[in-house]
Amino acid sequence: MNYSEKVMDHFINPRNVGEIEDADGIGEVGNAKCGDIMKMYLKIDDDTITDCKFKTFGCGAAVATSSMATEMIKGKSISDALQLTNSAVMEALDGLPPVKIHCSVLAEQAVKAALTDYYQKQGIDPEPIVGKVPEMEEEED
Amino acid sequence: MEKRIIYADHSATTAVSDEVLQAMLPYFKENYGNPSSIYRIGRENERAILDARARIAACLGADPKEIFFTAGGSESDNWAIKGVADKLAAKGKKHIITSVFEHHAVLHTCEFLEKHGFEVTYLPVSPDGLIDPQQVADAIREDTALVTIMYANNEIGTIQPIAEIGAICKAKGVLFHTDAVQAVGNVEIDVKAQNIDLLSLSGHKFHAPKGIGALYIRKGVTLPNLIHGGGQESGKRAGTENVPGIVGLAKAIELATADIPAKTAKLTPLRDKLIDGILKIQDTRLNGSREHRLPGSVNISFVGIEGESLLLMLDHYGIMASSGSACTSGSLDPSHVLLSLGLSHEVAHGSLRLSFGEEFTEADADYILAVLPEIVERLRAMSPMWETIQKEGIHFNEDKTKLVK
């Protein structure tokens, strides 16, 4: 697998790994059957993402894209975080092998899922703001 | 602990050994003649091929005329299966028996033949990765052209009851092919005693270079020509011979088969030490029979982590290994071999294959056993799947193939 130095760096030394106990928004995307699950925790203060942590089950690219996504939204406003695209995550990692592009899509979705959860907790309908985030697929055998 | 560099991926490929390289070198520069040429360096090359063919045959219990050089295992498999299919279709035999966990060189060839009017029976394997000879016997029909069953599985290292299957095929008058790519040099092979009609082997699995292999075709079995052209390989596979490769293959197979009992005696305790040590890690599973397995092959599943990230971490610590996880193959499905054992996707995703050869030492095993638990712990600590498993009390079912609440 032709991973860039940046992907390897974010895999071996992932940034912001862990949980936030009193998170304001938590999003989980992917499923175990396909081999990738990303869980994103956000701490939000006055429309600013003050802290962000993640947990990922998946390949090297899945870990690296989640790590990079947390770096890219930490300290940013919610509206900036909503602008985060999978291609921006990929670019920041100096690219991904074609079969791994879906990992960057998952990273973008994890951020959006966490923001959806944040708005739901606020009693605000997230869909007009965040858009639709694909539901986690049901696990089946 | 001091970092070590450990190559534990012998089932993928091996380095060309010094002895093999030395044997090959003269055939690149000084002795470069075309074996079909009449002058001295041509004749010397022809003799080198004759000599190599005889030595390879001797290692398999075959006759030199029964050895045909190819570019490797996949070519040999393709030739054997399509060749028999082509020959016997004319006699109305259009049924092939194989197993669900063959190498893709066999499976995809069988799928190709299905598109061309052949019927293929894919035998299941037992939960510990073995094929039941009785099932082979039961599957054989009037119109069965070929049984093709691998000698040893490339992912989980299980050794199949080849002699029993060979005897059944002989008794029923059906041709028997085995992909022995992982077996050569690890188990004693005697094509006559084991009633094997066709056998594929690949040099780079036992310290010959990549790009050279062979197909054993028992005398009396006629396959169609694979490559049309000159008279090389009795006209069956035309093209100027890969003389350095052929010479290297002969040297390598002699070395690999010289003392299999000694090699087994050396590697088996190291393998078992690795298995026992790794299984001490919580929620792990040995894939494949413990008893009927290659001496240098270990395959373990780790719940809650994914194979590729495990391999990348191991690589970071200097350990080169392989996985049956989806991510290494570029598809979303985990390996068909692990799924054939009945493993759920969740369990199959986190698997590790360690395969090693004679240079593997006790210190290497100790290093792997020191490093691996830390890596697994670290990956599990960042795995939301592991978190769910812990919180919800999810655990293995009885045969450790699935996760249940």
Side-chain angles (χ1 to χ4, degrees):
Chain A
M1 199 56 70
N2 188 14
Y3 283 142
S4 71
E5 288 301 314
K6 271 199 184 158
V7 171
M8 285 310 296
D9 176 41
H10 274 263
F11 171 73
I12 298 291
N13 309 298
R15 280 61 145 182
N16 308 309
V17 176
E19 300 167 40
I20 301 176
E21 276 199 9
D22 55 345
D24 298 305
I26 301 174
E28 187 171 320
V29 294
N31 68 70
K33 194 163 184 261
C34 294
D36 292 299
I37 307 174
M38 285 184 198
K39 195 166 181 180
M40 192 81 68
Y41 300 80
L42 301 178
K43 190 82 196 143
I44 295 173
D45 208 359
D46 202 18
D47 269 2
T48 300
I49 296 168
T50 54
D51 198 8
C52 177
K53 292 220 184 293
F54 82 92
K55 276 188 157 188
T56 289
F57 160 83
C59 61
V63 173
T65 52
S66 351
S67 165
M68 181 54 90
T70 60
E71 287 266 276
M72 292 173 84
I73 62 168
K74 206 169 162 178
K76 298 280 167 61
S77 67
I78 290 178
S79 55
D80 281 349
L82 284 169
Q83 300 298 312
L84 181 80
T85 61
N86 78 299
S87 40
V89 174
M90 274 207 300
E91 252 172 63
L93 287 168
D94 292 340
L96 284 176
V99 294
K100 301 292 185 181
I101 291 172
H102 74 276
C103 294
S104 66
V105 175
L106 269 186
E108 178 193 325
Q109 286 174 356
V111 172
K112 295 207 160 99
L115 287 169
T116 296
D117 181 55
Y118 167 71
Y119 281 118
Q120 277 165 348
K121 281 179 176 152
Q122 308 282 311
I124 301 166
D125 177 14
E127 217 178 294
I129 309 163
V130 184
K132 257 195 167 23
V133 179
E135 295 273 318
M136 269 181 74
E137 285 171 47
E138 283 298 307
E139 287 176 26
E140 51 195 299
D141 271 329
Chain B
M1 180 174 279
E2 201 181 326
K3 184 172 171 177
R4 297 177 75 88
I5 301 296
I6 301 173
Y7 182 73
D9 206 10
H10 278 241
S11 293
T13 194
T14 59
V16 173
S17 68
D18 289 338
E19 289 135 302
V20 169
L21 184 63
Q22 288 307 321
M24 291 171 67
L25 282 177
Y27 296 92
F28 286 104
K29 289 278 280 183
E30 304 96 76
N31 227 335
Y32 55 84
N34 190 317
S36 302
S37 299
I38 194 72
Y39 39 77
R40 186 183 57 80
I41 58 169
R43 295 193 308 268
E44 279 177 10
N45 271 263
E46 192 187 5
R47 268 201 295 277
I49 293 173
L50 267 172
D51 174 59
R53 204 186 302 280
R55 287 156 59 204
I56 293 164
C59 294
L60 299 169
D63 185 84
K65 289 199 179 82
E66 298 173 316
I67 301 298
F68 293 83
F69 295 111
T70 67
S74 292
E75 183 185 321
S76 297
D77 287 342
N78 270 260
W79 189 13
I81 299 168
K82 287 184 211 162
V84 169
D86 190 37
K87 277 280 176 190
L88 295 184
K91 293 181 179 167
K93 294 193 172 188
K94 298 190 82 175
H95 176 234
I96 293 167
I97 297 167
T98 186
S99 79
V100 289
F101 79 160
E102 295 295 312
H103 190 274
H104 282 137
V106 168
L107 284 181
H108 290 170
T109 302
C110 287
E111 285 160 19
F112 167 82
L113 288 171
E114 280 182 299
K115 287 189 193 129
H116 289 79
F118 287 81
E119 200 184 322
V120 181
T121 299
Y122 298 91
L123 295 176
V125 298
S126 72
D128 55 356
L130 297 170
I131 290 160
D132 178 1
Q134 188 55 46
Q135 289 199 324
V136 177
D138 294 344
I140 292 175
R141 319 188 307 211
E142 280 289 306
D143 64 340
T144 303
L146 178 73
V147 170
T148 172
I149 300 287
M150 68 199 325
Y151 208 122
N153 185 273
N154 50 309
E155 281 188 42
I156 56 172
T158 51
I159 300 166
Q160 306 307 317
I162 290 304
E164 291 170 57
I165 297 170
I168 288 165
C169 292
K170 191 184 180 195
K172 299 220 177 198
V174 174
L175 290 177
F176 176 41
H177 165 249
T178 186
D179 174 338
V181 164
Q182 298 291 340
V184 174
N186 284 314
V187 289
E188 305 270 8
I189 296 176
D190 185 324
V191 289
K192 296 284 182 294
Q194 293 165 330
N195 291 303
I196 297 165
D197 296 304
L198 300 136
L199 178 143
S200 303
L201 64 87
S202 181
H204 73 102
K205 306 292 188 186
F206 49 87
H207 304 290
K210 294 160 188 72
I212 185 71
L215 178 64
Y216 155 78
I217 307 175
R218 185 177 57 77
K219 199 179 161 206
V221 177
T222 313
L223 295 190
N225 296 351
L226 179 66
I227 297 175
H228 299 93
Q232 295 90 351
E233 301 303 291
S234 310
K236 298 211 157 293
R237 185 187 186 268
T240 301
E241 298 90 337
N242 172 5
V243 183
I246 289 168
V247 170
L249 182 69
K251 187 74 190 168
I253 199 169
E254 279 181 342
L255 293 169
T257 57
D259 199 348
I260 290 174
K263 186 176 171 183
T264 306
K266 178 183 184 255
L267 294 185
T268 306
L270 293 174
R271 177 198 74 189
D272 292 342
K273 178 178 181 158
L274 274 179
I275 292 174
D276 291 333
I278 298 172
L279 289 179
K280 282 186 188 146
I281 301 172
Q282 183 195 348
D283 287 338
T284 48
R285 165 190 219 278
L286 174 68
N287 293 315
S289 160
R290 198 175 163 119
E291 188 189 347
H292 304 283
R293 73 186 301 121
L294 294 173
S297 184
V298 173
N299 190 308
I300 305 244
S301 287
F302 300 84
V303 170
I305 59 178
E306 192 278 329
E308 189 202 274
S309 49
L310 181 57
L311 297 187
L312 290 171
M313 287 301 291
L314 284 167
D315 182 37
H316 184 65
Y317 284 92
I319 302 163
M320 289 163 265
S322 167
S323 167
S325 87
C327 282
T328 47
S329 64
S331 89
L332 283 180
D333 285 323
S335 108
H336 68 288
V337 174
L338 297 176
L339 296 180
S340 76
L341 304 180
L343 265 57
S344 69
H345 280 60
E346 288 84 345
V347 177
H349 276 307
S351 67
L352 170 69
R353 178 186 75 185
L354 297 164
S355 52
F356 44 88
E358 274 174 296
E359 80 287 358
F360 194 74
T361 64
E362 188 96 27
D364 291 335
D366 288 337
Y367 179 73
I368 291 172
L369 290 175
V371 164
L372 193 55
E374 282 174 38
I375 293 175
V376 172
E377 195 182 323
R378 183 174 159 181
L379 290 171
R380 281 178 172 169
M382 64 187 290
S383 163
M385 182 179 163
W386 183 247
E387 182 190 317
T388 309
I389 285 166
Q390 299 305 302
K391 275 185 189 157
E392 299 183 10
I394 294 168
H395 53 87
F396 266 134
N397 63 351
E398 207 171 318
D399 63 2
K400 289 191 167 188
T401 53
K402 292 178 176 65
L403 298 174
V404 290
K405 266 195 190 181

